[in-house]
């Protein structure tokens, strides 16, 4: 099969690596990174250049196109590929609004009966401030649209909530993404990532995963794109996946089909496991990064076949084959991330790390220049390893990561620690 992956992060390297586990597949990545260059053909087309991507896919006779990032999907890359007769594993622009507009997602959740935090939407500053004053802190303030993962403020105090409204609605730090602002009930609990492969009418759950959003150990510091992840998450064992799909994914798939837009692709529910049961914090319409890396390291089924089954409306006939082992990934970042960070540092020790049993180094922000791998992003790579249980996977991933050298690099040292504590408490 000839497969085009769209994007340039760790998720896209992991997708390309996974497809290449079947030597019969030829894989292209647009635009790709230093890691995907080693296992696939990088193509110099930006991830949002929809027309050029369609032209390339048509000219090069792709059997399957897999968009990684949400922006391409909200711009309608799946609609354009489908119009051109090219099989594309990703939702149309209408369905992508589940991620692109938090108020749209809330509307669908209400229609589908999915548990989520109580919330109100505002376009008027005075009305929003009045709501905050009447409800009191803690509250969560959210920009409606895409804001590069920075559009959510968890306000512990009233002043923080009011300041967030000023920043979004007066200073317009997120531009039009905060034309509408949501004010949400504050939930407490553990967070969990739950992803399903959807075919328009049904959904096949992937094993659970847990991400680590905060930049520093102990969940301190600002939120990032993700500092590490593991799968499965002890909070959601395999025998509860079907029930979770019935609660938070299948009702949404039915609602979208009812609106004439069958959802094909990955539907990812970001969950808070509260004392009142699971509640959806947000939907993403694609694989998460870095959850994708440990998930794909465990997946034994041919991913391209599963995706074509989704496109053909046949996912309910498929079963997932997954390694029983736990997979854990730790992200190496450039100093300064998630703020301004340095670039161009040379990374060494990659071969030695990759030789560790069961470890794979997935690149995120790297470029290959004259045979050298240089850092080009805030999140640089994700060292992912398998182990017999969470503690063993953690040991393997950190052992491999310690073989890698990068000036001005840093990483969290406690990826998986909370899960290990949870497991100890249940033994
Ligand atoms: P979101 O983009 O909506 O997933 O929000 C980003 C992060 O903000 C989540 O991963 C949570 O850590 C936090 N968050 C979002 N909504 C809530 C909520 N209602 N209560 C508590 N924390 C939240």
């Amino acid at each position: 099969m000839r497969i085009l992956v769209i994007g340039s992060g760790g998720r896209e390297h992991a997708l390309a690596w996974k497809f290449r586990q079947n030597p019969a597949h030829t894989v292209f990545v647009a635009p790709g990174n230093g890691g995907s260059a080693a296992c696939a053909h990088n193509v110099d087309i930006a991830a949002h250049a929809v027309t050029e991507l369609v032209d390339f896919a048509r000219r090069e006779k792709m059997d399957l196109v897999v968009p990684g990032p949400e922006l391409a999907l909200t711009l309608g890359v799946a609609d354009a590929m489908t119009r051109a007769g090219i099989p594309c594993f990703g939702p149309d622009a209408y369905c992508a609004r589940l991620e692109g507009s938090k108020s749209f997602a809330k509307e669908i959740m209400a229609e589908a009966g999915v548990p989520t935090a109580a919330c109100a939407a505002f376009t008027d500053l005075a009305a929003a401030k009045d709501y905050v004053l009447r409800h009191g802190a803690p509250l969560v303030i959210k920009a409606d649209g895409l804001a590069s993962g920075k559009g959510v403020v968890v306000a512990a105090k009233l002043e923080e909530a009011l300041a967030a409204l000023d920043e979004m609605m007066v200073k317009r730090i997120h531009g039009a993404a905060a034309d509408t602002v949501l004010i949400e009930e504050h939930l407490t609990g553990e967070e969990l990532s739950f992803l399903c492969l959807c075919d328009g009418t049904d959904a096949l759950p992937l094993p659970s995963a847990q991400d680590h959003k905060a930049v520093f150990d102990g969940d301190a510091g600002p939120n990032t794109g993700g500092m590490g992840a593991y799968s499965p998450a002890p909070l959601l064992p395999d025998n509860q996946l079907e029930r979770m799909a019935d609660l938070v994914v299948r009702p949404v798939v039915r609602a979208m089909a009812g609106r004439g837009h069958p959802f094909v692709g990955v539907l990812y529910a970001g969950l808070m496991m509260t004392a009142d049961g699971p509640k959806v914090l947000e939907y993403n319409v694609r694989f998460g990064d870095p959850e994708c890396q440990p998930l794909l390291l465990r997946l034994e089924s041919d991913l391209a076949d599963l995706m074509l089954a989704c496109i053909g409306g046949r996912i309910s006939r498929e079963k997932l084959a997954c390694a029983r082992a736990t997979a854990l990934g730790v992200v190496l970042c450039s100093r300064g991330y998630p703020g301004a960070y340095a670039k161009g540092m040379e990374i060494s020790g990659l071969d030695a790390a990759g030789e560790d049993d069961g470890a794979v180094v997935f690149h995120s922000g790297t470029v290959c220049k004259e045979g050298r791998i240089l850092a080009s992003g805030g999140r640089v790579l994700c060292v992912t390893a398998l182990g017999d249980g969470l503690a063993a996977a953690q040991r393997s991933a950190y052992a491999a990561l310690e073989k890698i050298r990068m000036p001005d690099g840093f990483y969290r040292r406690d990826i998986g620690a909370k899960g290990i504590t949870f497991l100890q408490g249940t033994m």
Side-chain angles (χ1 to χ4, degrees), residues 211-228 330-341 378-379 398 408-418:
D211 188 8
H212 297 64
K213 285 275 175 218
V215 69
F216 299 128
D217 287 11
D219 290 337
N223 268 0
T224 67
M227 298 295 291
V330 184
V331 176
L332 172 69
C333 299
S334 303
R335 184 130 345 258
Y337 177 77
Y341 51 82
R379 290 192 296 165
Y398 279 103
D408 282 331
F410 77 98
Y411 52 87
R412 272 181 68 157
R413 311 224 165 222
D414 65 344
I415 301 301
K418 254 197 297 184

Side-chain angles (χ1 to χ4, degrees), residues 173-190:
I173 58 167
H174 302 307
D179 279 350
T180 299
V181 168
L182 271 65
I183 305 180
E184 219 175 77
E185 164 198 10
H186 179 261
L187 301 175
T188 50
E190 281 286 318

Side-chain angles (χ1 to χ4, degrees), residues 188-337:
T188 50
E190 281 286 318
E191 286 183 50
L192 199 66
S193 304
F194 177 64
L195 288 75
C196 290
L197 304 177
C198 304
D199 72 354
T201 54
D202 201 2
L204 180 67
L206 295 175
S208 60
Q210 200 149 358
D211 188 8
H212 297 64
K213 285 275 175 218
V215 69
F216 299 128
D217 287 11
D219 290 337
N223 268 0
T224 67
M227 298 295 291
Y230 55 84
S231 169
L235 277 173
L236 185 65
D238 286 358
N239 63 7
Q240 292 176 25
L241 295 173
E242 280 296 323
R243 224 174 50 196
M244 189 62 83
D246 284 339
L247 187 68
V248 302
V249 171
R250 291 191 180 112
V252 171
V253 171
R254 278 195 294 274
M256 300 313 284
R259 289 179 175 222
H261 289 273
F263 188 105
V264 175
V266 169
L267 187 56
Y268 162 149
L271 300 174
M272 186 77 94
M273 307 298 271
T274 74
D276 299 332
K279 298 202 175 177
V280 173
L281 293 178
E282 63 161 351
Y283 285 108
N284 293 328
V285 296
R286 34 81 193 172
F287 283 102
D289 187 340
E291 295 97 318
C292 186
Q293 290 85 319
L295 280 172
L296 294 190
L297 198 60
R298 290 185 65 209
L299 184 65
E300 288 167 346
S301 311
D302 187 300
L303 183 61
D305 286 346
L306 289 172
M307 289 177 168
L308 286 181
C310 286
I311 295 167
R314 294 177 269 108
I315 201 63
S316 42
R317 286 190 233 152
E318 299 289 332
K319 265 200 147 30
L320 216 61
C322 249
R324 285 178 62 83
T326 297
L328 182 139
V330 184
V331 176
L332 172 69
C333 299
S334 303
R335 184 130 345 258
Y337 177 77

